[in-house]
Amino acid sequence: MAWSVLLLLPTTALFVLLSRFSLFHPILWISECLSLLTSASAIFSFILLCGVVLMVGFFNLEYYTVVPSIACSKIALLGQVLHPRQFVHSLVHCIMGVVVAWCCAFTIGGRYRSLGHPCTQDESSGPEMCLNEYHLVLLLVGAFIGYSHSLVGVVYNMNYVSFHTMQQYKYLRFKGALPLVVKASAVQALYCLRTFLLLYFFMGYAPRAWICKTLDLNINSSIHSLDSVSSLLDLSLLYHLWISGTFLLLTWYITVLLFRIFVTEVYSFPVQSTFTEDAHQCLPKVITGTQPMILKFLALQDLALLSQHSPSRRLEVFSLSQPGGHPHIWTALSKECLSLLSDLTERLVAHHDTVATNGRAKSQSTGVCKSCKNTPLTPSIPPVTSVGMEDMKTPRPGALIRTPGSVFLRSSVGAGLRTPLTIPFTPDLDSPFSSPALRRLTGPLEPQGALSPGFSSIQSPHVMRRGPKLWSASTGEGQPRGHTRLVLPMDYFLTHCFVSLQLPEASSQALFADSQVHIWALQGLSHLVAASFSEDQYGIVQTTLPTILSTLLLLQEAVDRHFKLPHTSSKPGHCSCSMGDDSYKTLRFALRSTLKTSVYRITATFGGHLQ
Amino acid sequence: MMCSLALFPPPLSGDGETSQYNESNTDPSVWFEDSPALNLYFPRESLKPHSRQESSSKSAFRDHCETLYTRSAGAWRDAGLSGLLNEIANSSAEVPKWLGVSSSCVLALLRWVSSFHSSLFPHLTLSSEEMTAEFSQVLDWSDCAVRSFAWHPHTQKCAVALSDDSIKIYNPKSATTPTLKHRLQRSVAALQWKPLCASALAVACHNCLLVWHVDPTSLSTRPSSGCAQVLSHPGHSPVTSVAWSPNGPLLVSASPRDTAMLVWDVAVESCVPLHRVGGGGVTYLSWSPDGSRVLAATPSSLFRVWETRMWTCERWPSLKGRCQSGCWSPDGSRLLFSVQGETVIYALTFTDNPGVPLMMSGGPKAATVVADLSETTLNTPDGDIMVGGEIQSLVWDPRGERLAVHVKGDAGAGRPAMIAVFKTQISPAFKLLPCGFVQGEAGTEPRLMQFNPNYQHGAQLTVCWSNGKITHVPFCFMSAGNPQPGLGGSPSLPLTQGRPADYNNQTLYTELIS
């Protein structure tokens, strides 16, 4: 935080230099800038900027997360954007954008200096205050960029803090990321400016009229209003708007960057402490704790690093407790890692089961249809086929989404029409297949709530709160079965609208959203086990080796099955160059390769001894 | 203690005996327990090099008039700013005069700046192919049928990159030999299998890195290009060296044109460039077997040793030339390297236990010369022969008992390129003892060599010869570290008696204790 305030100084100086840039009077330019930088008003606006940066830092601290919340459909995304917490965030950023823009306007001076300027409109009424539209545009740009920063932050998960595979010193990391940040802020400011100009061109009169009304200013009719093509294409205006936007985003991005670097810094926890009052700071204790998440992440990162690089700390892990001779540390660490991994396995198996039973239920339904032909209840086919046609009419992105749709359809039709013709389907609805199928249907839209109980503990609260609300008309997971029967065909179309808005691959991403923990657990375990071959004096690792291996292999099987699902691409896509960190999208690939490497590491170390 | 070639036993005269590895090797089970030997032969005539040039698809289409805008966009896409300027300057008839003049001025300015830059770093004037040939570990890379060779670290499997830009994978246990071809796989400079993985193979190509995932159980002989991950980064071409971290998912890659060394997280296809001032590029990378350090050589007289925990580096400037090759002892404590234009091997010792201190405090202060391979004359029954010269590459066997040195020689002066083998001992004290020479058939010279990491009875050196043959030279010995119980005989001291490798070549490996 202190660093970002300190860095504000050179950034501001640079901004002053660039904003007053004049090619033809270099000496005048420099001297003007110097005098401006030392004036009292500049110091005042600088203090204001510091306040803004501190505020941004506070919001970063308040809103950051180590587990990204992944919206699996556009509706869910909309829900995130409209969430009150997010609304506060947007509003505050909007205001701060205005403040920064005011500082910019003040610094640039000239025609941007103040909101009103004296003008004589009528000879009779004498001098009045008129609206300075340049100033207004600058302020509005600030507000717009502030809002879009907050909005883009939600869409691209800018509050997600990712950890790096490579450890570097903070300074080097900052130095490496700085060019990217400058580029990202310049580009982002350009895009924002484009959108803003379009908006202002069409709707610019509204804020202008409003400001005039509230502040009792007049519009100077002798000057052209700015929402015409010719006046908006004024190069100097565009340059000043763009440079102010870049300045605004740059200061905020630098704050975000510094925050990320500081929060992900490796912290070395003591493995064991001699005093009991420090025991809660030890690695085994911190790793098993759940709150706050960041501590658990840091502890697991430390475990992964110590298992690779630090023989002396490994010895502490392998040591026995002094009275009693129990390997408490190793037991605690391995148990926590294994429970994390088996948790992931369960989650994957549950996800796979929902998909698999889905397919099975579907094939069974067609089987039922075929058998229907032989039964007296042949008329049950027409509703299915008609529904199938509707099915085809509705545009849907992929084959996977077709399955939940049709299953839902079947159950909703079976429940909704309630004709005697649908008797063969009704028992099916109560069969064990239907409930996971329904769950599956709600799965892609709110998978974090539906997938496993373990997962719900780490999801962000607003997603959970939103879930039932969105689905109150149809089948929420915890809702009674009787509710299902109220589903009307009308809802079916709504559902299809929602389903077609589903974002591809999001369910897979959401499934592996916190996989950084599992990656570290895998690395830590496998390195410790490999090191135990030569370093474990008491043979404590050998007792847990079968459990570790079976857990790893089960997870391997589950991950392999997951990657065979049709909707999961087998290769990471390429990341866009922006400030939003999308490394969470590729975590599953990292997990897969780490898992393989870990199994190989253990088997390669122990080799023939495993038999 | 310095070792020089004069202490070596003279190589056998005549040519018949030394070629025994290839032809009279009737009992392959000596080298590969119960699998056919991987003695491969790639005659150069059978490999048709690609006639395809950089943008050769151009010639397949008829010329037609495009608008200036289209051409400029194409030039911008193909060759960046300079291409765009060139295009505008060349089509002066169509553009306004001021634009044509200003773009030629900017172009001239750019050329002047780049000439200044390349006068600092002369290697930048080379073309990509020449650059790969210059900095490759392979002797005479552009002329060589086998461009690169890599043993799998865990199984008896090897990958061979050929001059027709294909890679073949040989596995004595399976009948299929997959051939890997990819549109971007051109002028392969290096290959390496990923450790702790069955299937991933990193390939350093002309302007990208490819990571192939070749399923060992697959029966396909032509894996599709979908099996390859393409890792590219702007400005990072040609890639001349790759190195996998021995215990992790990281891959480092180097290009003589790029001042940054890239550290890739291959699974997620992201990279972190590590920039440092000086050097003008990175040519050769070698990761120490314990994973704690990376050697990065640059085209100028400077090399760096990176510490892989926090990725800080140690600079080693003021060499006579650029660092040509280097290799690490198995425990990562010792680095041997050779310098272009010199005939000696230097050693650096890293005493600290990696990982405990964060800083590289235990690094050495100066490199010591451990061996001198300058020209000497050896007496053989057939007369004197000259050996020695500049060092092309160094490889150390995974147990740290044999060191093979590829000496460039000078054909004009009657000194053939050859491989000198040293016996080494790392603990308790570092020792380097002469062992012998490896020679091929008449008129052939070694181009490339690598130790097989899976050889049970000692060390096995795989050599690719200039006539396209690949042979395996075994060195059977008892290792002091982990004696092989199955080998028979009491485990004696490792350095007192090396077992003769081949019955015909007994004299080649006779001990000569200095």
Side-chain angles (χ1 to χ4, degrees):
Chain A
M1 200 71 99
W3 272 109
S4 57
V5 171
L6 283 183
L7 276 170
L8 195 60
L9 201 64
T11 327
T12 318
L14 191 70
F15 170 70
V16 168
L17 282 179
L18 281 180
S19 65
R20 300 215 155 188
F21 182 73
S22 64
L23 190 63
F24 304 106
H25 308 286
I27 297 172
L28 188 68
W29 166 50
I30 300 275
S31 61
E32 228 177 49
C33 290
L34 283 180
S35 66
L36 182 74
L37 278 177
T38 47
S39 68
S41 55
I43 289 171
F44 171 67
S45 65
F46 183 74
I47 289 171
L48 215 56
L49 284 178
C50 287
V52 168
V53 165
L54 287 178
M55 199 70 184
V56 171
F58 171 74
F59 267 83
N60 285 338
L61 184 68
E62 200 59 22
Y63 278 73
Y64 84 97
T65 169
V66 281
V67 180
S69 64
I70 295 165
C72 290
S73 69
K74 291 176 185 166
I75 299 293
L77 200 57
L78 194 65
Q80 277 186 12
V81 173
L82 295 180
H83 190 268
R85 191 174 143 91
Q86 181 56 37
F87 181 72
V88 171
H89 188 264
S90 302
L91 190 71
V92 171
H93 274 85
C94 216
I95 293 168
M96 288 193 298
V98 173
V99 172
V100 176
W102 184 82
C103 293
C104 290
F106 190 74
T107 322
I108 298 170
R111 56 181 179 176
Y112 302 98
R113 184 128 218 155
S114 66
L115 191 58
H117 65 97
C119 60
T120 47
Q121 213 153 19
D122 291 337
E123 298 306 323
S124 56
S125 58
E128 304 177 309
M129 288 305 279
C130 281
L131 176 74
N132 180 3
E133 204 173 349
Y134 290 103
H135 187 85
L136 179 68
V137 166
L138 199 56
L139 291 192
L140 284 178
V141 163
F144 183 78
I145 292 182
Y147 181 71
S148 69
H149 171 79
S150 157
L151 194 69
V152 166
V154 175
V155 177
Y156 294 113
N157 266 315
M158 211 181 284
N159 59 347
Y160 166 59
V161 174
S162 70
F163 289 80
H164 291 263
T165 343
M166 277 176 63
Q167 304 303 322
Q168 272 182 288
Y169 285 109
K170 289 191 291 261
Y171 164 69
L172 293 174
R173 181 164 286 172
F174 178 74
K175 203 178 77 178
L178 196 58
L180 293 180
V181 167
V182 172
K183 192 183 154 202
S185 55
V187 170
Q188 184 70 30
L190 207 60
Y191 279 119
C192 281
L193 193 61
R194 184 198 61 186
T195 322
F196 172 78
L197 288 181
L198 277 181
L199 269 180
Y200 193 78
F201 180 68
F202 289 113
M203 316 207 309
Y205 62 89
R208 197 168 53 211
W210 182 71
I211 289 277
C212 287
K213 210 170 162 189
T214 44
L215 294 185
D216 200 17
L217 291 170
N218 290 321
I219 291 177
N220 195 346
S221 52
S222 62
I223 304 173
H224 289 294
S225 69
L226 270 178
D227 54 354
S228 64
V229 178
S230 57
S231 53
L232 275 184
L233 284 183
D234 177 8
L235 265 187
S236 137
L237 174 71
L238 288 184
Y239 174 70
H240 279 131
L241 290 183
W242 176 67
I243 199 99
S244 314
T246 310
F247 171 69
L248 186 154
L249 284 178
L250 185 64
T251 50
W252 292 5
Y253 280 163
I254 285 179
T255 320
V256 173
L257 177 71
L258 284 171
F259 176 74
R260 279 187 194 161
I261 290 175
F262 273 83
V263 96
T264 56
E265 196 195 355
V266 177
Y267 182 80
S268 177
F269 294 90
V271 177
Q272 58 182 353
S273 72
T274 42
F275 306 105
T276 44
E277 57 263 29
D278 292 340
H280 64 280
Q281 292 176 354
C282 290
L283 196 57
K285 282 280 181 297
V286 178
I287 268 190
T288 47
T290 50
Q291 287 299 326
M293 252 349 242
I294 183 73
L295 267 187
K296 193 183 178 74
F297 271 67
L298 284 176
L300 276 162
Q301 186 184 29
D302 187 40
L303 174 72
L305 287 176
L306 89 86
S307 67
Q308 281 181 50
H309 296 294
S310 168
S312 60
R313 294 178 69 200
R314 279 201 299 261
L315 270 188
E316 284 185 61
V317 173
F318 295 139
S319 66
L320 299 179
S321 65
Q322 202 39 267
H326 296 289
H328 287 305
I329 301 173
W330 164 252
T331 317
L333 292 180
S334 64
K335 196 185 271 176
E336 178 60 23
C337 290
L338 287 178
S339 78
L340 279 172
L341 295 179
S342 50
D343 190 39
L344 180 68
T345 314
E346 267 173 33
R347 204 194 300 167
L348 285 176
V349 167
H351 177 79
H352 195 270
D353 279 353
T354 50
V355 177
T357 45
N358 211 353
R360 198 157 32 140
K362 196 192 176 194
S363 65
Q364 203 198 12
S365 84
T366 53
V368 166
C369 290
K370 277 172 193 161
S371 67
C372 283
K373 285 177 185 169
N374 304 329
T375 57
L377 291 164
T378 13
S380 68
I381 299 163
V384 175
T385 44
S386 70
V387 153
M389 273 154 64
E390 284 169 1
D391 215 356
M392 269 149 43
K393 279 178 211 157
T394 326
R396 261 169 288 119
L400 166 88
I401 299 156
R402 176 177 230 100
T403 16
S406 46
V407 167
F408 178 72
L409 176 80
R410 195 167 53 77
S411 59
S412 68
V413 165
L417 295 182
R418 267 205 262 186
T419 53
L421 303 179
T422 53
I423 288 169
F425 293 98
T426 359
D428 196 35
L429 203 89
D430 295 321
S431 75
F433 293 125
S434 66
S435 85
L438 290 173
R439 207 184 310 147
R440 167 72 196 115
L441 174 65
T442 54
L445 293 153
E446 39 159 353
Q448 296 180 331
L451 281 167
S452 82
F455 198 58
S456 60
S457 63
I458 47 162
Q459 68 178 340
S460 50
H462 52 278
V463 176
M464 197 154 76
R465 216 177 304 151
R466 205 202 70 257
K469 196 168 61 192
L470 194 68
W471 281 97
S472 52
S474 67
T475 58
E477 201 200 357
Q479 284 169 336
R481 177 56 46 81
H483 205 94
T484 320
R485 298 178 181 273
L486 295 176
V487 175
L488 296 171
M490 191 64 177
D491 287 328
Y492 156 68
F493 290 108
L494 273 179
T495 319
H496 267 276
C497 291
F498 290 156
V499 168
S500 65
L501 288 174
Q502 194 202 8
L503 301 171
E505 287 204 12
S507 66
S508 181
Q509 282 171 21
L511 207 54
F512 289 98
D514 63 337
S515 281
Q516 187 66 61
V517 176
H518 305 112
I519 291 172
W520 284 327
L522 282 170
Q523 284 177 347
L525 268 187
S526 65
H527 274 114
L528 280 177
V529 169
S532 76
F533 188 70
S534 54
E535 293 176 14
D536 179 14
Q537 297 164 355
Y538 308 106
I540 54 175
V541 175
Q542 281 173 32
T543 54
T544 37
L545 191 55
T547 331
I548 291 173
L549 273 180
S550 66
T551 314
L552 290 189
L553 292 177
L554 279 178
L555 183 58
Q556 171 80 50
E557 198 185 349
V559 168
D560 277 352
R561 277 172 71 192
H562 179 82
F563 274 93
K564 288 201 177 108
L565 291 180
H567 62 296
T568 47
S569 68
S570 55
K571 276 189 195 171
H574 280 283
C575 313
S576 57
C577 166
S578 72
M579 213 25 214
D581 199 334
D582 45 8
S583 63
Y584 62 88
K585 289 183 183 162
T586 49
L587 271 180
R588 56 182 190 275
F589 304 105
L591 179 82
R592 180 176 60 169
S593 99
T594 314
L595 181 57
K596 254 187 205 165
T597 312
S598 306
V599 175
Y600 272 111
R601 182 175 297 130
I602 294 178
T603 48
T605 314
F606 283 85
H609 301 277
L610 282 176
Q611 289 167 355
Chain B
M1 177 199 73
M2 205 157 91
C3 207
S4 95
L5 280 187
L7 301 170
F8 269 67
L12 286 188
S13 60
D15 307 307
E17 291 103 317
T18 44
S19 63
Q20 293 302 324
Y21 310 112
N22 317 325
E23 283 137 26
S24 70
N25 184 2
T26 50
D27 183 16
S29 64
V30 175
W31 332 126
F32 297 95
E33 284 82 46
D34 37 30
S35 52
L38 288 174
N39 285 336
L40 309 167
Y41 180 40
F42 302 102
R44 198 173 309 146
E45 298 74 40
S46 70
L47 302 170
K48 284 189 186 130
H50 272 283
S51 56
R52 206 156 44 121
Q53 287 306 306
E54 187 110 354
S55 50
S56 64
S57 57
K58 240 181 213 171
S59 59
F61 295 96
R62 277 182 55 218
D63 237 14
H64 78 111
C65 283
E66 291 171 317
T67 60
L68 176 71
Y69 176 73
T70 338
R71 272 185 287 135
S72 307
W76 168 262
R77 205 178 49 237
D78 290 345
L81 182 65
S82 61
L84 177 69
L85 292 172
N86 214 353
E87 188 66 48
I88 292 176
N90 284 342
S91 53
S92 52
E94 298 167 56
V95 292
K97 195 165 188 300
W98 61 270
L99 192 60
V101 170
S102 62
S103 61
S104 11
C105 285
V106 174
L107 201 60
L109 193 72
L110 274 183
R111 283 195 187 131
W112 181 72
V113 169
S114 68
S115 73
F116 178 68
H117 190 220
S118 52
S119 71
L120 269 181
F121 299 110
H123 71 276
L124 291 178
T125 54
L126 298 175
S127 76
S128 293
E129 292 265 339
E130 287 167 350
M131 204 180 269
T132 311
E134 169 78 21
F135 298 118
S136 168
Q137 293 291 297
V138 183
L139 182 63
D140 203 0
W141 177 84
S142 44
D143 178 48
C144 193
V146 177
R147 289 275 167 92
S148 187
F149 181 92
W151 278 109
H152 193 279
H154 305 296
T155 60
Q156 293 283 5
K157 181 161 80 167
C158 63
V160 185
L162 302 174
S163 59
D164 63 349
D165 291 340
S166 69
I167 296 175
K168 287 187 193 300
I169 295 176
Y170 291 92
N171 185 350
K173 294 203 182 85
S174 87
T176 54
T177 54
T179 307
L180 311 179
K181 284 188 182 177
H182 195 281
R183 188 170 51 85
L184 296 168
Q185 187 172 291
R186 282 185 285 131
S187 53
V188 176
L191 291 175
Q192 200 178 10
W193 290 92
K194 181 179 177 179
L196 301 174
C197 183
S199 60
L201 173 72
V203 183
C205 302
H206 175 70
N207 51 11
C208 66
L209 272 168
L210 290 176
V211 180
W212 285 94
H213 295 271
V214 190
D215 188 0
T217 56
S218 159
L219 292 174
S220 153
T221 52
R222 273 294 299 274
S224 76
S225 37
C227 299
Q229 280 178 293
V230 181
L231 309 174
S232 62
H233 192 258
H236 199 71
S237 94
V239 184
T240 53
S241 188
V242 284
W244 285 96
S245 68
N247 54 10
L250 298 179
L251 174 73
V252 288
S253 71
S255 165
R257 283 225 178 97
D258 193 358
T259 50
M261 175 174 100
L262 298 187
V263 184
W264 293 90
D265 189 348
V266 175
V268 303
E269 297 188 2
S270 67
C271 74
V272 178
L274 292 172
H275 283 278
R276 288 294 181 276
V277 177
V282 184
T283 57
Y284 174 72
L285 294 167
S286 169
W287 208 307
S288 73
D290 68 336
S292 61
R293 287 189 181 83
V294 182
L295 164 76
T298 68
S300 56
S301 59
L302 163 81
F303 70 94
R304 296 190 181 89
V305 179
W306 291 85
E307 166 269 339
T308 61
R309 189 164 179 211
M310 295 305 278
W311 291 97
T312 51
C313 70
E314 219 176 51
R315 279 161 58 99
W316 284 89
S318 67
L319 304 174
K320 291 247 173 57
R322 68 180 162 84
C323 175
Q324 163 66 29
S325 180
C327 62
W328 292 88
S329 66
D331 59 352
S333 67
R334 220 164 241 103
L335 169 69
L336 301 185
F337 65 94
S338 67
V339 169
Q340 194 193 32
E342 286 190 67
T343 58
V344 294
I345 303 175
Y346 293 95
L348 285 178
T349 314
F350 296 91
T351 48
D352 63 337
N353 199 349
V356 181
L358 280 178
M359 306 300 290
M360 301 258 303
S361 52
K365 298 291 170 281
T368 47
V369 176
V370 290
D372 184 4
L373 284 92
S374 54
E375 304 147 34
T376 39
T377 310
L378 293 178
N379 295 312
T380 61
D382 282 7
D384 295 352
I385 58 161
M386 302 270 286
V387 290
E390 260 185 56
I391 296 163
Q392 175 70 22
S393 65
L394 295 165
V395 283
W396 209 331
D397 94 296
R399 297 183 194 190
E401 306 250 0
R402 292 289 184 278
L403 173 76
V405 182
H406 189 178
V407 180
K408 225 185 240 177
D410 186 356
R415 280 180 289 123
M418 53 168 46
I419 295 173
V421 181
F422 292 88
K423 285 198 236 172
T424 54
Q425 189 187 9
I426 294 168
S427 61
F430 181 57
K431 273 189 196 170
L432 207 58
L433 307 170
C435 183
F437 291 103
V438 177
Q439 266 187 323
E441 294 171 38
T444 62
E445 53 177 17
R447 287 285 163 85
L448 171 63
M449 57 179 189
Q450 194 177 27
F451 274 105
N452 179 358
N454 295 300
Y455 191 65
Q456 296 300 316
H457 313 301
Q460 187 187 38
L461 184 68
T462 300
V463 186
C464 305
W465 301 95
S466 56
N467 59 357
K469 284 192 179 177
I470 296 179
T471 59
H472 310 281
V473 186
F475 303 89
C476 295
F477 55 84
M478 295 298 223
S479 179
N482 39 354
Q484 301 288 319
L487 208 63
S490 61
S492 56
L493 279 175
L495 287 171
T496 48
Q497 188 61 54
R499 258 179 51 178
D502 199 330
Y503 313 107
N504 295 320
N505 296 317
Q506 220 155 10
T507 44
L508 195 63
Y509 298 113
T510 322
E511 272 322 302
L512 190 101
I513 307 285
S514 59

